[in-house]
Amino acid sequence: MPEPSTSAPIIHTARLDALPLRIEHAEEMAQVLADPALHAFIGGRPATPDALRSRYERLVAGSPDPAVTWWNWVLRRREDGCLVGTVQATVTGDVAEIAWVLGTPWQGRGFAVEAARGLVDRLGRQPRIRVVVAHIHPGHRASAAVAGAAGLTPTDRCEDGEVRWELALRP
């Protein structure tokens, strides 16, 4: 079974390091995620550093359900060390539900695809995980492109207004 987020392994890609989420990331991540446009498909509004710190405290503590594991990473651009976004996986049984968010200034440069592929590759090395799932708003073309580039394909299932995308890692 995957380890909790506090001991999630670092994921290295060509240009990024996905680092296990820490509470101390909240200040910088509040700036990375400050653009209201990031919430166009998921709702809500940008979190303050204090609100993000509280959220990160809960995430780092891990899921209260022992049958669910949370892995959360911040994405650090290796070139200059700045944080540019997040990836996450919620593992229940043999299914990993993934998500990604990239700050607006770093979109359109292939970072989200690189991060999602790195995450899927890492999850694929977990023998227990058989399926990777992402839920994507039908109008969010950029996220659909990221999911497709990471190997996921859309299904005909919708949940809470979002299309379920899947990748079977093993039978």
Side-chain angles (χ1 to χ4, degrees):
M1 176 178 232
E3 301 163 343
S5 65
T6 53
S7 58
I10 295 174
I11 300 170
H12 301 286
T13 68
R15 300 174 294 164
L16 301 169
D17 293 318
L19 306 171
L21 179 70
R22 293 191 336 246
I23 297 163
E24 297 80 27
H25 291 130
E27 191 78 31
E28 186 174 354
M29 286 305 301
Q31 294 173 15
V32 170
L33 304 174
D35 185 351
L38 290 174
H39 299 269
F41 292 103
I42 60 173
R45 60 181 185 268
T48 66
D50 286 340
L52 207 51
R53 191 174 300 105
S54 293
R55 181 169 186 255
Y56 287 2
E57 287 172 358
R58 289 187 304 276
L59 292 173
V60 167
S63 171
D65 182 344
V68 177
T69 300
W70 293 342
W71 272 3
N72 296 277
W73 294 266
V74 293
L75 300 172
R76 180 181 67 195
R77 188 169 57 177
R78 205 172 300 117
E79 172 186 328
D80 58 9
C82 78
L83 300 181
V84 300
T86 64
V87 290
Q88 65 185 55
T90 299
V91 181
T92 308
D94 62 358
V95 176
E97 294 192 36
I98 65 171
W100 50 86
V101 177
L102 202 67
T104 305
W106 301 278
Q107 292 178 6
R109 300 181 191 185
F111 289 125
V113 168
E114 187 175 321
R117 283 179 175 162
L119 177 57
V120 168
D121 178 65
R122 180 67 182 104
L123 293 170
R125 289 187 254 144
Q126 295 292 321
R128 182 173 181 178
I129 298 175
R130 296 173 39 148
V131 179
V132 176
V133 172
H135 300 276
I136 300 173
H137 187 282
H140 200 319
R141 291 187 185 127
S143 277
V146 170
L152 285 77
T153 56
T155 68
D156 58 359
R157 293 174 53 189
C158 283
E159 299 171 18
D160 296 324
E162 295 182 320
V163 176
R164 180 182 170 107
W165 288 62
E166 291 184 0
L167 170 63
L169 297 172
R170 50 191 63 81

